[in-house]
Amino acid sequence: MITPMEVQVRSSTVLALGDPNTEPREVPLTIFDRFACDIHIAVLYAFTAPTPSNADIVEGLSETLAHFPMLAAQLGHDCGGRPCLMVGGGGGGVLVVEATVSSTLAEHMPLEPSPDLLLLHPRTEDAAHLLLVQLNRFRCGGLVVGLSAHHKVADGQSMSAFLVAWGQAVRGIPIDPLPLYDRSWLKPRVPPRCEFQHWGLDFMPITPRDDEFASHNNLVEPSRITNILLRYSSEFITGKLKAETKAKYTTFETLLAHVWRKITAARGLEGGEETTIRVTVNGRRRLKPPVSDHYFGNLVLNAYPRSTAEMLARGGLEEAAKVVHEAIARTSGDYVQSMVDLGDMYGDEELVPVYGTEGNVLSPLVDAESWLRLRFEDVDFGGGGKLCAFLPTWVALEGLVIFIPVVGEGGGVDVMVSLLREHAEVLKRISHSLH
């Protein structure tokens, strides 16, 4: 950012739910909660003035949390040592920080990835709360909401529903739809059976053999990693990329294939070096019968497109998009059911997701998440101001790629890419090349 961001914290409070004189309710973590990475996911929402007062926004948050109590819970273990959420009982709560920024919002627009964005959030390291909110009021009256939610509680679909509901509460509109907590779909087969290879892909093996799945655990100084935002217009996606693939694949599949090829080139991978994308897939509609979109919690898993650097370079965009499409298609209802059965078979084991065991450099892996079909752009606190920016906050994890809908007219897709600085410079130069 050109203008330095001077943020001053004015107050810090905890919104508590539940009666401290009662015992908390234990809610077991599902296999999909246990699979989610053990970190807070941080996003920023920027609104132009005028916006409601902080007091009205916090009051709406309190009303909303009554319907989303898991976000005010605590992570813990039940009497059998199994991971669970401790809901109510006076513990937990949501941290709400109010801050002011000495500059105007316009001085920082368009918002671009920068370590300065971390100033707009409470610190998440060793955070005592699963949901942390910071209301950043700019000199012009503009507002940036910094929100960090622990991934063990909810996935993107659930968090977007929560944010839309929060906006409804602030505007005095009944929350609709309400979240669903029914877990009747979480039903293992009799007997349960794992038909797919989850060890080494989704979870670390319980007893690794001969370092077969040992993590490469690449670590570098976080300052060597940077985040860049690549913008792809609707015209470029349709007129250039989809023309290359004869419009056989979705926007996400086509653009992911393109970005995969460019990242592979920017990293300098060559020949037979294998590269994999870890693609987040929503499992709700893949199960039979499907799970409601309004289910609150985690119900995502991964697809794993694989290729060699040489094939990506020589095969062109259409071949890469085919690899992506087929891998996502293989993440079927049967695959989701296999994960459900895995949770039943190993419910008492200390399962360790592959996430978080790899250090902060994923290369040659790419970790891709799509936020294109979520409802983040529908968040509206009212007051007359408009959503003018939405993006993930700075993440020093090489190989992370997040697809975000462009805010405003014209459409298109913003792609946040986290890479080593030298590779990011190359990617910026070649990001829109069709070769």
Side-chain angles (χ1 to χ4, degrees):
M1 293 182 182
I2 298 174
T3 305
M5 191 175 287
E6 297 180 5
V7 181
Q8 184 169 0
V9 171
R10 299 293 182 180
S11 68
S12 180
T13 58
V14 175
L15 290 182
L17 289 183
D19 182 348
N21 297 315
T22 62
E23 288 295 315
R25 175 168 56 96
E26 295 177 355
V27 178
L29 296 188
T30 71
I31 187 65
F32 300 99
D33 298 331
R34 298 171 73 185
F35 176 57
C37 50
D38 191 21
I39 60 172
H40 285 78
I41 305 296
V43 296
L44 291 172
Y45 279 90
F47 298 90
T48 58
T51 59
S53 68
N54 284 4
D56 287 344
I57 292 174
V58 173
E59 182 181 351
L61 174 59
S62 184
E63 292 176 14
T64 309
L65 288 171
H67 300 285
F68 294 83
M70 305 298 186
L71 290 171
Q74 292 177 295
L75 282 171
H77 292 83
D78 63 18
C79 58
R82 293 174 290 270
C84 70
L85 287 175
M86 314 293 287
V87 183
V94 173
L95 178 67
V96 178
V97 173
E98 296 182 44
T100 55
V101 185
S102 58
S103 47
T104 66
L105 184 55
E107 291 177 74
H108 303 280
M109 295 297 293
L111 283 182
E112 297 281 347
S114 162
D116 276 358
L117 298 183
L118 295 172
L119 299 173
L120 302 174
H121 288 276
R123 289 177 60 86
T124 57
E125 291 83 4
D126 301 317
H129 304 280
L130 301 181
L131 179 64
L132 310 119
V133 174
Q134 185 164 316
L135 304 177
N136 302 281
R137 191 67 66 169
F138 286 69
R139 194 177 75 223
C140 59
L143 174 70
V144 173
V145 179
L147 182 139
S148 306
H150 202 291
H151 207 335
K152 293 288 185 190
V153 182
D155 57 21
Q157 173 106 14
S158 294
M159 286 310 301
S160 66
F162 163 75
L163 281 155
V164 171
W166 183 9
Q168 290 173 334
V170 175
R171 300 197 319 272
I173 298 171
I175 293 174
D176 183 36
L178 291 171
L180 299 177
Y181 298 95
D182 175 28
R183 292 183 174 182
S184 59
W185 56 269
L186 196 68
K187 187 184 305 180
R189 291 168 290 194
V190 182
R193 58 187 186 276
C194 294
E195 301 162 303
F196 297 87
Q197 175 59 273
H198 300 287
W199 304 118
L201 284 178
D202 303 318
F203 292 98
M204 297 299 292
I206 294 174
T207 52
R209 298 186 302 275
D210 302 324
D211 294 329
E212 182 181 3
F213 295 110
S215 167
H216 56 275
N217 201 31
N218 288 338
L219 282 168
V220 300
E221 283 295 321
S223 61
R224 290 188 55 195
I225 299 172
T226 191
N227 296 175
I228 60 174
L229 201 63
L230 306 174
R231 174 155 295 184
Y232 293 93
S233 68
S234 297
E235 293 76 17
F236 182 84
I237 294 169
T238 302
K240 302 290 187 180
L241 299 184
K242 288 196 173 182
E244 287 270 317
T245 62
K246 303 178 180 63
K248 292 179 182 177
Y249 307 108
T250 67
T251 293
F252 173 63
E253 290 168 343
T254 305
L255 187 54
L256 175 57
H258 174 76
V259 172
W260 187 20
R261 296 180 72 229
K262 298 306 165 187
I263 289 175
T264 300
R267 282 169 161 172
L269 302 180
E270 297 177 330
E273 287 185 270
E274 187 174 83
T275 172
T276 301
I277 318 177
R278 190 162 58 198
V279 187
T280 300
V281 175
N282 191 338
R284 286 167 176 79
R285 297 187 182 181
R286 294 172 185 267
L287 273 174
K288 294 182 178 60
V291 177
S292 171
D293 285 342
H294 310 315
Y295 168 73
F296 187 87
N298 282 292
L299 189 36
V300 295
L301 59 169
N302 290 332
Y304 299 95
R306 284 189 177 82
S307 184
T308 63
E310 182 178 28
M311 193 289 288
L312 289 178
R314 291 188 178 181
L317 179 60
E318 183 172 6
E319 183 63 28
K322 179 183 178 183
V323 172
V324 171
H325 172 80
E326 291 179 348
I328 292 175
R330 286 195 296 271
T331 312
S332 61
D334 291 339
Y335 192 90
V336 182
Q337 185 63 54
S338 182
M339 279 279 280
V340 172
D341 289 12
L342 178 84
D344 183 70
M345 295 167 66
Y346 297 93
D348 295 330
E349 298 282 356
E350 187 68 36
L351 298 181
V352 178
V354 169
Y355 291 117
T357 65
E358 302 149 320
N360 62 357
V361 176
L362 300 182
S363 182
L365 179 73
V366 173
D367 193 330
E369 301 180 13
S370 173
W371 296 356
L372 298 179
R373 292 186 177 180
L374 305 180
R375 298 179 59 202
F376 287 115
E377 69 276 15
D378 294 337
V379 177
D380 180 8
F381 291 114
K386 300 295 183 184
L387 178 67
C388 61
F390 163 62
L391 71 163
T393 305
W394 187 266
V395 184
L397 175 63
E398 189 275 349
L400 177 64
V401 179
I402 302 176
F403 291 72
I404 316 154
V406 171
V407 172
E409 298 180 2
V413 178
D414 281 338
V415 184
M416 192 282 282
V417 183
S418 184
L419 285 177
L420 295 177
R421 291 186 176 275
E422 58 269 28
H423 297 161
E425 289 303 314
V426 176
L427 180 61
K428 283 191 282 189
R429 293 197 299 270
I430 66 175
S431 62
H432 286 67
S433 167
L434 296 178
H435 303 294

